[in-house]
Amino acid sequence: MPLRSKDLLSIEDLTLENIDLILETASSFEEVFDREIKKVPTLRGRTIINLFLEPSTRTRTSFEIAGKRLSADVVNVSGQGSAVAKGESLKDTAQTIEAMSVDAVVIRHWSSGSAKYLAELIKPPVINAGDGWHEHPTQALLDLYTIKKEIGKLTGKRVAIVGDIAHSRVARSLIAALNKTKAKVTLVGPATLIPMDIDKLGVDISYSLDDVLEDVDIVYLLRLQKERQSENLLPSLREYSRLFGLSKARWQRLKNGVRIMHPGPMNRGIEIDSFVADNEKALIREQVTSGVAVRMAILYLLMGGAQVE
Ligand code: NCD
C-alpha cells in the first residue's frame, strides 16, 4: 500500500494508518542489520539525491546508509561546493535534478516551506529532512519507532519535550506525531522559548522541569542553540543548564523505566549531563539505529520498491 501522497513533507500529511505502515515496514528492514550483508536489492537501479543545504551529520549519513542498504545509488549534494553557493535558485537546482532523471530527492534546507516548494516543482518524491523551523518528519517517525520498540505502545505515554520549542522543527514534528498516536505531551522550557499559543495543539506547558520530572515516561531533550543567548532569549547558558538541564541529581528523581531521548547533536553539560547521556536509561544511540530503518521504510514506500526479501 502506498502512502497518501507523493512526498513526505510533514507529519500532517500522514494518517495514523500511514504511520503504522511506516513503523511496521521499518521493523522488517531492521532485521537486515544483523545480517553479514546488510543490503536488499529493493531499489536497485534507482537514484536518490541527498540535497543537504544546511549542516548535518547524522540525518545525511542516515539517509545515505538507508538508500545504500536498499541498493539505490545515492548522490550527496551539499550547500558548500554546489551551484547553490554560487547563487543558483532552488527552482533551477530542481530543474537540473529533474533533467538527470533521479527517482527521489531528500532535502534539508534553511527555509521553512522549501521542501513543499521543491515537491511542487518536480515529479519524483521529495522527502523533507528538515526545513527551517517548520518540520523534520523523519526524525519524529524514528522517535515513535524507538519509543514503541523500547517501551511499548504510544497511547497514554507521557512525554516531556524540554528546551527551545520555539525554534525547533524536531519539536513541531514530534508534537504532531505524538498527538496522532494519543501520547500525552508536556512542553518544558523558559517562557521565551515556548510559543505563546502552542497550547492550542492540545499539549500541556510547564516552565519548570522539576515540576514534571516525576510524572513522565520519556524526557525528550532538545539542543539548546547557543545563538539564542545573543538574541536575548536566554539570560545565560549557566542559568539555562541549572533550570532545564538534565543533571545527575534530576536523573535520580526519574521513575523506574523512564527513558531519555535526544535528536542530536547534543551539547553535553548544557541540556544534558554526560553521565545521563551515556547512561542505560538513554535511548540516543537506539534513535540513530532506528533512523536508518525508518528512512529505509520511507524510501521504499514512496519509491515503490520491490518486496522486502
Ligand atoms: C536536529 C535538526 O537538525 O533539526 N538534528 C537532527 O536532525 N538530528 C536538531 C538540532 O539541530 O538541534
Side-chain angles (χ1 to χ4, degrees), residues 42-303:
T42 319
L43 293 181
R44 192 161 49 204
R46 311 289 205 89
T47 306
I48 300 168
I49 295 221
N50 257 344
L51 181 61
F52 274 64
L53 303 178
E54 245 196 6
S56 169
T57 313
R58 78 202 68 217
T59 306
R60 191 189 58 70
T61 315
S62 180
F63 268 110
E64 182 173 352
I65 292 176
K68 287 183 170 164
R69 287 196 181 162
L70 292 166
S71 304
D73 296 312
V74 183
V75 179
N76 290 309
V77 180
S78 68
Q80 269 169 0
S82 76
V84 177
K86 297 181 187 164
E88 184 175 75
S89 71
L90 188 54
K91 188 167 181 184
D92 286 336
T93 307
Q95 280 163 356
T96 308
I97 288 172
E98 183 130 70
M100 291 188 232
S101 322
V102 305
D103 301 293
V105 180
V106 180
I107 180 171
R108 166 164 292 195
H109 197 286
W110 63 84
S111 162
S112 303
S114 49
K116 186 166 192 296
Y117 178 69
L118 180 65
E120 284 163 3
L121 288 172
I122 63 172
K123 278 199 216 78
V126 171
I127 300 168
N128 181 5
D131 62 331
W133 295 357
H134 175 230
E135 278 231 27
H136 191 353
T138 64
Q139 177 70 45
L141 291 164
L142 76 87
D143 292 332
L144 294 190
Y145 181 85
T146 308
I147 297 171
K148 233 177 147 172
K149 182 173 172 210
E150 301 292 333
I151 53 175
K153 72 173 172 36
L154 289 144
T155 312
K157 286 271 170 342
R158 282 162 306 177
V159 184
I161 307 178
V162 186
D164 183 359
I165 312 290
H167 305 92
S168 173
R169 56 191 174 208
V170 172
R172 237 171 298 287
S173 288
L174 187 59
I175 293 167
L178 290 170
N179 277 345
K180 277 189 199 252
T181 54
K182 307 260 179 322
K184 287 168 69 70
V185 180
T186 305
L187 306 179
V188 185
T192 47
L193 297 180
I194 299 195
M196 286 288 273
D197 48 4
I198 199 148
D199 53 331
K200 291 206 186 93
L201 296 178
V203 293
D204 291 330
I205 292 177
S206 171
Y207 302 113
S208 161
L209 180 56
D210 287 316
D211 286 354
V212 303
L213 267 188
E214 279 152 28
D215 297 322
V216 293
D217 301 300
I218 290 154
V219 184
Y220 193 102
L221 301 163
L222 295 171
R223 177 170 68 96
L224 187 75
Q225 279 102 340
K226 293 181 188 142
E227 58 272 23
R228 302 294 164 236
Q229 194 183 349
S230 52
E231 290 168 12
N232 289 330
L233 294 172
L234 280 178
S236 81
L237 285 181
R238 190 137 38 97
E239 181 169 295
Y240 178 87
S241 185
R242 189 170 57 75
L243 295 172
F244 296 101
L246 193 56
S247 59
K248 188 170 178 186
R250 289 201 171 99
W251 175 88
Q252 279 163 337
R253 289 176 46 211
L254 295 169
K255 288 186 304 189
N256 268 342
V258 173
R259 291 287 182 269
I260 293 137
M261 299 175 74
H262 193 306
M266 290 186 274
N267 288 309
R268 288 171 184 258
I270 299 179
E271 71 267 11
I272 188 164
D273 189 278
S274 244
F275 168 85
V276 176
D278 298 328
N279 191 271
E280 82 278 354
K281 278 188 170 37
L283 293 179
I284 300 160
R285 288 172 62 104
E286 286 77 359
Q287 286 171 274
V288 177
T289 306
S290 301
V292 176
V294 166
R295 290 174 175 125
M296 284 174 83
I298 291 162
L299 291 170
Y300 164 75
L301 291 167
L302 287 177
M303 297 174 72

